[in-house]
Amino acid sequence: MRSIPLPVAALAAAIVAGTAAAQAEDPNLARNLAATCANCHGTNGVSQGGIESLAGAGKDDLIRKLREYKAGTRPGTIMPQLAKGYTDAQIELLGGWFAAQKPAK
């Protein structure tokens, strides 16, 4: 078994850490990720009908559903493909962001 040279391993670790830190430091990351959901789920997750609203839904419920879509255990039309593009950290951010939005009256 060959080992990875220390400088290569250190560089890889720095890149991964830098990416995670950049996501954590961007205060708009959750909002920016959520903007990609607006075409179907409405601005700020408030649907105009036909598709469920995400605004004000429970964080844990949203995270669970996204993880199920990502794993392929929850049926859907486009959501399984979209969810596969999110990291676990991004799914957590999305769940928290939509849970904090005001639902439609």
Side-chain angles (χ1 to χ4, degrees):
M1 184 170 159
R2 295 180 53 182
S3 63
I4 298 172
L6 186 56
V8 173
L11 178 61
I15 290 170
V16 170
T19 302
Q23 286 185 357
E25 291 174 13
D26 183 354
N28 296 316
L29 181 59
R31 183 202 64 189
N32 294 346
L33 288 169
T36 65
C37 307
N39 283 338
C40 299
H41 294 281
T43 302
N44 295 332
V46 178
S47 177
Q48 298 302 306
I51 305 279
E52 82 175 283
S53 286
L54 302 176
K59 177 182 177 180
D60 292 338
D61 190 45
L62 290 169
I63 290 169
R64 179 185 50 77
K65 287 178 181 178
L66 279 170
R67 286 183 176 158
E68 288 172 354
Y69 281 128
K70 184 175 181 175
T73 59
R74 184 177 189 87
T77 52
I78 193 157
M79 282 307 302
Q81 281 96 7
L82 293 174
K84 288 177 186 170
Y86 293 117
T87 65
D88 289 338
Q90 290 171 330
I91 288 173
E92 295 271 339
L93 285 171
L94 284 166
W97 193 87
F98 280 117
Q101 301 311 300
K102 296 199 187 289
K105 294 182 180 184

